Amino acid sequence: MRHIVVTGAGRGIGKAIAVRLARDGATLSLFARGADALEQTAEEVGGAFTRGVDIRDASQVDDAFRAAAAANGPVHALVANSGIGGPNEAGDGDRFYDLVQTNLVGTYQCMRAAERVLAAPDERRDVVVIASILARIGVPGYTGYCASKAGLLGLVRSFAAELAPQEVQVNAICPGWVATDMAWEGIDLMADALGVSRADAYARAMTEVPLRRMSEPDDIAGTVAWLLSPDARGVTGQAIDQNGGAFML
């Protein structure tokens, strides 16, 4: 049974990933800032090791991964999903540093901590990073989010090359609009800026999506499950664009 760590597992995409992986038979360790939401996820998946973690704090991250390995054995996979969103702007309240420190530096710290407690080389090992379509495109007012998510793709490629001799596969997923609290907060900000209703803002946002709809968290969870499966053997250093066609290479 594979031991998989999922960060940001309290809600949204992270929760959906935890539920899917539990259904597939994984032993789970779940991390997030919000303890109450995390415990709800653990209950829903039938039990898991849980730890409240601020991934900006390297010592907290190291302690959490060591504790998870002590509880559930060496780690076979990390799904690095923790992150924050929203805009930032120049001035005293600029959130740029916090966005980069959380999304990019925090994810790096999780990947290094996971590396230190990985399972033996004769077992399959994986890292999957949840990036964003904003790693691919620029959006006004989202300099911190775009920069941090774009940085994750460089991080994934570098880690994939670095860990390839140990046969550790490292990949990213770049979701577009996904029906989560974070996405709806973005729709509401758009509605306020345009002076329109939430429904009108949603309709306008979906004009940029060829499939004309948001993805569901379960959609992203399914792609994570595939990347961790034998069917994805040999897939490494890739960024999978799962965004309804909003960005096509």
Side-chain angles (χ1 to χ4, degrees), residues 54-131:
D54 182 344
I55 64 170
R56 296 172 300 179
D57 186 326
S59 63
Q60 283 190 36
V61 171
D62 284 336
D63 288 348
F65 275 88
R66 283 197 297 267
N72 287 333
V75 172
H76 295 92
L78 163 64
V79 182
N81 171 72
S82 281
I84 58 174
N88 65 289
E89 58 185 19
D92 293 339
D94 194 343
R95 301 173 60 240
F96 184 90
Y97 177 82
D98 195 29
L99 285 157
V100 173
Q101 185 71 14
T102 302
N103 296 346
L104 181 56
V105 178
T107 298
Y108 173 79
Q109 292 176 162
C110 288
M111 293 169 78
R112 285 299 188 201
E115 184 184 4
R116 288 190 280 271
V117 293
L118 280 178
D122 60 344
E123 300 182 74
R124 171 76 180 267
R125 286 92 52 81
D126 292 88
V127 176
V128 178
V129 172
I130 307 302

Side-chain angles (χ1 to χ4, degrees), residues 2-246:
R2 300 185 79 197
H3 174 202
I4 302 176
V5 176
V6 182
T7 69
R11 59 179 186 156
I13 292 172
K15 180 177 181 179
I17 291 167
V19 170
R20 171 60 187 267
L21 296 179
R23 191 168 74 236
D24 289 350
T27 297
L28 296 177
S29 294
L30 307 177
F31 303 162
R33 283 196 205 182
D36 291 342
L38 194 58
E39 291 306 321
Q40 291 175 7
T41 301
E43 183 176 348
E44 189 166 334
V45 302
F49 174 84
T50 62
R51 177 66 66 92
V53 181
D54 182 344
I55 64 170
R56 296 172 300 179
D57 186 326
S59 63
Q60 283 190 36
V61 171
D62 284 336
D63 288 348
F65 275 88
R66 283 197 297 267
N72 287 333
V75 172
H76 295 92
L78 163 64
V79 182
N81 171 72
S82 281
I84 58 174
N88 65 289
E89 58 185 19
D92 293 339
D94 194 343
R95 301 173 60 240
F96 184 90
Y97 177 82
D98 195 29
L99 285 157
V100 173
Q101 185 71 14
T102 302
N103 296 346
L104 181 56
V105 178
T107 298
Y108 173 79
Q109 292 176 162
C110 288
M111 293 169 78
R112 285 299 188 201
E115 184 184 4
R116 288 190 280 271
V117 293
L118 280 178
D122 60 344
E123 300 182 74
R124 171 76 180 267
R125 286 92 52 81
D126 292 88
V127 176
V128 178
V129 172
I130 307 302
S132 169
I133 189 175
L134 268 65
R136 303 290 203 184
I137 61 176
V139 175
Y142 279 73
T143 53
Y145 191 77
C146 290
S148 63
K149 292 296 186 175
L152 289 178
L153 301 191
L155 192 65
V156 162
R157 289 190 291 267
S158 184
F159 260 99
E162 185 174 316
L163 299 181
Q166 289 79 49
E167 296 192 21
V168 179
Q169 295 181 197
V170 184
N171 293 287
I173 301 173
C174 297
W177 289 106
V178 182
T180 64
D181 291 345
M182 185 184 293
W184 285 111
E185 287 166 6
I187 293 291
D188 288 338
L189 286 172
M190 184 186 303
D192 290 343
L194 296 173
V196 299
S197 68
R198 173 188 266 198
D200 286 340
Y202 176 83
R204 292 193 190 194
M206 293 307 106
T207 62
E208 303 296 325
V209 181
L211 290 181
R212 293 295 189 269
R213 59 172 174 78
M214 285 188 181
S215 298
E216 293 295 329
D218 286 348
D219 300 334
I220 311 305
T223 303
V224 170
W226 174 73
L227 283 170
L228 299 181
S229 77
D231 289 338
R233 186 170 181 267
V235 178
T236 197
Q238 303 305 307
I240 297 175
D241 294 292
Q242 189 167 1
N243 50 50

